[in-house]
Amino acid sequence: GDQVEQSPSALSLHEGTGSALRCNFTTTMRAVQWFRKNSRGSLINLFYLASGTKENGRLKSAFDSKERYSTLHIRDAQLEDSGTYFCAADMSNYNVLYFGSGTKLTVEP
Amino acid sequence: EAAVTQSPRNKVAVTGGKVTLSCNQTNNHNNMYWYRQDTGHGLRLIHYSYGAGSTEKGDIPDGYKASRPSQENFSLILELATPSQTSVYFCASGEIGGQDTQYFGPGTRLLVL
C-alpha cells in the first residue's frame, strides 16, 4: 500500500546550496530509515531514527512519529551527493520497511 | 558493519525459465528480506524471513518463492520468469526491533527476455 509518500521526486541543487527531502506517513510508524542509492546501484544506510534528530556531516534527519513525517536536510551540497534518496518506514516490531518512491538528487557545478 | 552479498550480480533469463537469486549474510541476523526496485515505485518488499525455515509474503509476492535454508542464506526463486520481472533485486538483513538498521546487498540486475 501507499503508506509512505516521498517528495520531491526530483531535485536539482547547485554546489554549496541545500534543501530538504520529506516523507509523510499515512499511519504511525515505529521508525524511519534513509538510504542513498549510489551510482553502482548499492543502497547506503544514512540514518535510522526512532525519534528526534540525527546529524552526520552535511546531512541531518528528523522524525516525528506523532505528526507522521520525516525529513532529510542536505547542506552545502557536493557533486558526490548526487543519487537517489529513499526513506523507508518501519511499521512493526519485525523491522519490515515500507519505502518511498525516491528522490533523484542532481548536484550541479 | 553487516556484510550482505548477492549472486549473481547480473542475470539474463528467458521467459518461462527458472531463476534463483541468492543472498548470504555473515552477521547472524534473524531477519532477511527481498525487495525489487523499479522506477517510480521505489523498493517494494517481495518476501521476508524471520529465521531459518521461515518465509513470509511481502507486498508483491506473486510470481516469486523464497527459501531460507539457514540463518545465512535466503534465496528468491522465479519458477517461470516473465519480462515483467525484469528489475533490480535487493536483499537485506536486520534484527528485530532495537536500533539496528537493515543492511543491504549490492543488488542483482535481472533481465528477462
Side-chain angles (χ1 to χ4, degrees), chain B residues 53-105:
Chain B
S54 149
T55 60
E56 307 290 336
K57 292 181 179 180
D59 290 337
I60 52 165
D62 293 345
Y64 302 94
K65 291 183 180 179
S67 174
R68 183 85 182 272
S70 65
Q71 182 81 337
E72 297 78 19
N73 295 295
F74 189 38
S75 297
L76 186 68
I77 303 153
L78 291 67
E79 294 280 3
L80 295 169
T82 67
S84 65
Q85 292 176 313
T86 293
S87 188
V88 180
Y89 292 84
F90 288 92
C91 174
S93 74
E95 277 297 0
I96 295 172
Q99 284 292 302
D100 281 354
T101 65
Q102 289 196 8
Y103 295 89
F104 284 81

Side-chain angles (χ1 to χ4, degrees), chain B:
Chain B
E1 180 126 353
V4 181
T5 56
Q6 295 180 227
S7 64
R9 293 295 312 280
N10 293 279
K11 173 75 177 178
V12 179
V14 295
T15 297
K18 181 177 181 178
V19 177
T20 300
L21 307 183
S22 299
C23 179
N24 177 276
Q25 55 102 358
T26 59
N27 257 34
N28 200 34
H29 285 156
N30 286 313
N31 294 1
M32 296 186 74
Y33 313 84
W34 276 106
Y35 300 90
R36 60 177 285 176
Q37 200 251 329
D38 303 285
T39 302
H41 291 282
L43 288 174
R44 292 179 291 173
L45 181 65
I46 306 170
H47 285 287
Y48 59 104
S49 168
Y50 297 136
S54 149
T55 60
E56 307 290 336
K57 292 181 179 180
D59 290 337
I60 52 165
D62 293 345
Y64 302 94
K65 291 183 180 179
S67 174
R68 183 85 182 272
S70 65
Q71 182 81 337
E72 297 78 19
N73 295 295
F74 189 38
S75 297
L76 186 68
I77 303 153
L78 291 67
E79 294 280 3
L80 295 169
T82 67
S84 65
Q85 292 176 313
T86 293
S87 188
V88 180
Y89 292 84
F90 288 92
C91 174
S93 74
E95 277 297 0
I96 295 172
Q99 284 292 302
D100 281 354
T101 65
Q102 289 196 8
Y103 295 89
F104 284 81
T108 295
R109 290 186 178 275
L110 173 64
L111 173 62
V112 182
L113 300 174

